[in-house]
Amino acid sequence: MIEENILYKLIDNKYHFCYYSISDEYYGGKNLSEKKSYGIEFNQGEVGEIHLFDCGIFEDFNEIIKVKDELIKPYTITNIPTYEVVVSVNLSDFLKRIPKKKHLQYIHHITRTIDFVCKSSGIGINNFIAPSYKAIQETSIYSTVVSVFDKDVFCRLFIDHIIHCGIREDELEFN
């Protein structure tokens, strides 16, 4: 990833956001000359609601910058108020229900779900540290602190997304 950011604007006392991510990628292969392309992924909408991502791929990096500059032009606010939420997932029963070789995969899924919910709803970005696998093995608790714009919205969205992998709502705790 080359660049990632989230910016805001205020409309009728409601924050709106624009999240974007710019990356580079090589394509081609042994028989083809390698070429580099650049991609931009972005998401816009009212903070606290999940919105669909859109993307573009260009061979010229300057084109990506032009797209990004147009996207973010109306978004002049760099930070909005955030509140800390302690997210705890009791994995003692859950880890018994899945094969041991899949434990790490599911733990990574929790981290990716927090990240997805924060970016796709505009309530935060890269604002938490995933706990170590070793600490989770010792305690069977996934625990981290997330800074979000709206605790209730975050909790609702996180629950809505994490229960699909088999974690029950009664295994989650938010403080």
Side-chain angles (χ1 to χ4, degrees), residues 99-164:
K100 189 168 182 94
K101 65 182 180 182
K102 297 225 178 205
H103 287 190
L104 187 58
Q105 178 182 352
Y106 276 91
I107 290 167
H108 286 311
H109 181 70
I110 296 169
T111 300
R112 288 189 308 271
T113 301
I114 292 170
D115 193 50
F116 171 79
V117 165
C118 290
K119 291 175 182 177
S120 63
S121 66
I123 57 178
I125 184 173
N126 296 332
N127 53 13
F128 71 101
I129 297 172
S132 75
Y133 180 60
K134 184 177 178 180
I136 294 170
Q137 282 181 313
E138 292 172 3
T139 64
S140 294
I141 303 288
Y142 179 107
S143 184
T144 189
V145 178
V146 183
S147 296
V148 295
F149 174 67
D150 187 320
K151 177 183 176 179
D152 294 334
V153 168
F154 169 78
C155 296
R156 177 181 50 82
L157 293 173
F158 181 68
I159 290 168
D160 288 350
H161 284 81
I162 201 67
I163 61 172
H164 296 289

Side-chain angles (χ1 to χ4, degrees), residues 67-94:
V67 169
K68 178 198 82 165
D69 290 346
E70 279 301 309
L71 279 171
I72 67 172
K73 190 183 292 185
Y75 298 90
T76 58
I77 302 170
T78 57
N79 292 307
I80 58 175
T82 58
Y83 307 92
E84 289 189 344
V85 179
V86 177
V87 178
S88 296
V89 183
N90 184 337
L91 296 170
S92 57
D93 289 338
F94 178 75

